[in-house]
Amino acid sequence: RQAKVFKEHGANIALVDLKEDILKKEAEQAGLSDALLVSADVTKEDEVEAFVTKTVEVYGQIDVFVNNAGINGDFKTITEGTVENLMNVLNVNVAGVFLGLKHVMKQMMEKKSGVIVNIASNGGLLGAPGMGAYVASKHAVIALNKTAALEGAPHNIRSVAVCPSGVDTQMMKSIETNSMPGSEAD
């Protein structure tokens, strides 16, 4: 949805997703048939570096980066949760954001401008029963964003975190289905 708005305003679009078939389907449904489509795992530095390099090769630069990869993880209380789930969520939601920042900011620093939009969550501002790993990861995204904003400012790079509440996505449907009674999950 975000990419479609950018396209309507004349932007060149690069879309990145772990699964190429989903990427093609989403691009087609959004009317973004001319977008650059790149399959990459945001937890793997070489793949992140490759999608940034490919985007710069095709378009010359990256002006705006929407850092939006994320997963819910398992819906378990802290006492029922596993370290494996925690590490999986942190790997995608925190390391993935970090790697995107690292490689996109390098490119933006070279040209002395850019805007980065890190998608956090209201979960990064609150707690939510059964979502400890997710909430911790979104708090970390906000912290990374604050650091990126300070490091990017001397290079004319703005970094902002967006902390939406519930948005009608497949991820939100999963949260609604699995959230614990009394939780205020996003």
Side-chain angles (χ1 to χ4, degrees):
R1 296 176 193 180
Q2 302 154 339
K4 189 173 180 178
V5 173
F6 278 104
K7 182 67 178 170
E8 289 169 358
H9 286 88
N12 292 316
I13 305 295
L15 299 173
V16 179
D17 195 279
L18 182 60
K19 298 178 182 173
E20 190 172 347
D21 57 330
I22 292 173
L23 191 58
K24 287 179 181 177
K25 179 183 170 189
E26 292 293 325
E28 187 177 297
Q29 287 178 348
L32 299 169
S33 59
D34 61 342
L36 172 63
L37 305 179
V38 184
S39 178
D41 181 338
V42 299
T43 69
K44 296 185 174 154
E45 186 162 7
D46 61 327
E47 293 187 30
V48 173
E49 187 173 22
F51 84 66
V52 171
T53 299
K54 179 72 173 173
T55 303
V56 172
E57 285 173 359
V58 172
Y59 296 129
Q61 63 189 33
I62 299 173
D63 296 312
V64 177
F65 175 52
V66 179
N67 210 356
N68 193 32
I71 61 171
N72 300 336
D74 296 335
F75 293 88
K76 304 270 185 189
T77 63
I78 292 171
T79 59
E80 295 171 335
T82 65
V83 170
E84 292 79 17
N85 177 63
L86 173 68
M87 298 312 292
N88 187 41
V89 173
L90 293 176
N91 199 28
V92 174
N93 296 5
V94 181
V97 167
F98 171 81
L99 291 171
L101 287 168
K102 177 180 179 177
H103 292 285
V104 171
M105 284 181 74
K106 283 180 185 178
Q107 186 276 323
M108 289 179 171
M109 284 177 174
E110 288 177 15
K111 65 183 192 72
K112 297 274 189 213
S113 70
V115 176
I116 298 167
V117 180
N118 293 299
I119 306 300
S121 162
N122 72 342
L125 304 170
L126 307 168
M131 296 184 67
Y134 177 81
V135 167
S137 75
K138 293 306 182 172
H139 274 74
V141 168
I142 293 168
L144 281 171
N145 177 74
K146 289 177 180 182
T147 300
L150 293 169
E151 293 177 2
H155 305 280
N156 198 34
I157 299 168
R158 289 180 291 135
S159 185
V160 299
V162 177
C163 300
S165 187
V167 178
D168 187 20
T169 63
Q170 189 59 39
M171 190 170 171
M172 184 61 203
K173 288 174 179 60
S174 174
I175 291 169
E176 290 170 345
T177 301
N178 292 292
S179 63
M180 302 181 75
S183 70
E184 294 183 26
D186 109 278

